Amino acid sequence: MVYLVRLEQKVESFALQTRLIILFFQVIFNAVIPDHDAEVFNPPTSPTHNQTAVDSILDIGVGGLRRWDAVYFIHVAEHGYIYENAVAFFPLYPVMVGKIADVFYCFSFAGQIMSKLNLCLIIGVALNVYFFTKAASTLFHLGVQVLKDERLAYKAALLFCITPASIFMTAPYSECLFTYLFFSGLLAFASGDTMKAAFWFGLSGTTRSNGLVAIGFILFRRAKGFMSSMQQATKARFETMIEKGMMMASMTHLYLTPAIVAVVLCAGPFCLYQYYIYRIFCLSNDADLPNHLVRYGRSQNYKLVSDAPSPWCSQLLPLSYSYIQKHHWGVGFLQYYELKQVPNFLLATPMLVLSVCACVYYYRLNTDCCHRLGMVQEGQTDKKTDLQKGNFGFKNTRLFIYVGHLVFMTVFGIFFVHIQIMTRLLASTSPVIYWFAARLITERTYHDNFSSNQYNIFSPQRVQRIEKGANLQQAQKGNLLIDQISDFWKQSTNTKLVLFYFMFYFVVGTAAFANFLPWT
């Protein structure tokens, strides 16, 4: 599959190029736009470290990426969990950054030329650039596996490289690592390896809490397999009811045991993290904390790890996550529905519209499958018919569980979470967003009815060629998406809207985030 390897190289190259563009943009925007005083979490640096020339350079070069939640992640990477409100930021990403920083700090001269905070910042950004390229590549392979169409998969992966959540995929947030882990789990799931998928999902659950939703994929597959086997068993003839009962019990054991093991793999790491937080915040009060962080915590009325246990410690099931989300972050059913939050609802609207349209589009093409909750056998794909109908890639039962996952995340997000995070929440967890966006911008790209559509990957003229030969010669050269953006004014209305949305959030999101403006 040399052709696919070339396309994968194009995707990874474009992903790296867009990360470098984001880094360049944040330097410019951070320099020319004054920072907004957001009055958010921003603990002081260590008083024992003197500002060096390298620190000053890094403040200019990557300082615009240490904003909003990135401050929390860098703080946890540098100091661990000192404040209770920081527990909402799951450990895998900041611990990874912190351990790598410790190695550099102890076994190199890094500690002499820069602060540990800046070292963690550089490492966090570098890791995100790496994981972003791997996530883009994984999305490409996932699309090929699920949609059975490398053309649509390629276009979707290119769109992922300019995702509306781009700034969050570069700044030291956990979204990038989560996306790579979650997409890797989905790829293993699509390939039929449930246990491997559960392993990746478990890791994603220690990166962001929504990784737990992946349990639905595991249960869906086991339920679908069980239902199919039961239907076949009911058609079989048994001499006695005992034989039939033994057969039913055997099938139940065959599907239930692996499901339990997979669910434990998915949820186990999350439970271990909750237990760790319980240990340090509820059972231990002898922490030796830096004085400057204690003073800052007291000034902000934060609960410190050395303080008396919080109420959640005495609950029957002492889970810190739900308590902290409710009491520290105000997360709950309809808690964000206030008049002052209208701008944040507008900020999330394009992603919500894209999500709803994707779900409706799939339902219209797969009505029977949806009515049966995906419990149908996957038939053979009639590629020629699908090509003629213009719905190739979306008219298949394999996609049902991915769309179902998007429906759940959208509905849950609308009613329960801070609405402004919906852009990065859905952009980092649902491949359907990119598959549908790719489908939109390749349906009718030109209005010229007398010539073939050179960007329409479904047209017969394009079926044997995905990317231009000149673009394939070198991975660093242009690609189909760049060519389409260059011809922006010749595109259809739908295509213009999708491309404008992706590019606008790519640029404006970087400018707002880099200056502590409301873009979280």
Side-chain angles (χ1 to χ4, degrees), residues 244-302:
K244 184 175 182 179
M246 291 181 62
M247 174 63 71
M248 297 296 183
S250 176
M251 285 192 299
T252 301
H253 173 73
L254 179 64
Y255 285 97
L256 184 60
T257 301
I260 293 175
V261 174
V263 168
V264 170
L265 285 174
C266 286
F270 171 85
C271 296
L272 288 175
Y273 171 59
Q274 294 301 305
Y275 177 70
Y276 168 75
I277 294 300
Y278 173 77
R279 291 270 303 182
I280 64 173
F281 277 91
C282 301
L283 302 181
S284 176
N285 292 313
D286 57 353
D288 184 17
L289 306 178
N291 290 330
H292 67 287
L293 295 179
V294 172
R295 289 193 298 269
Y296 177 76
R298 299 298 181 213
S299 68
Q300 301 296 319
N301 295 320
Y302 292 152

Side-chain angles (χ1 to χ4, degrees), residues 477-494:
K477 284 194 173 183
N479 56 59
L480 199 64
L481 183 61
I482 293 178
D483 294 342
Q484 196 164 356
I485 293 173
S486 300
D487 289 335
F488 180 83
W489 296 110
K490 298 180 180 179
Q491 312 305 313
S492 68
T493 301
N494 284 343

Side-chain angles (χ1 to χ4, degrees), residues 76 79-83 86-87 89-91 94 273 276-277 280-281 305:
V76 173
H79 300 288
Y81 290 98
I82 293 179
Y83 308 121
V87 171
F89 301 90
F90 278 35
Y273 171 59
Y276 168 75
I277 294 300
I280 64 173
F281 277 91
V305 70

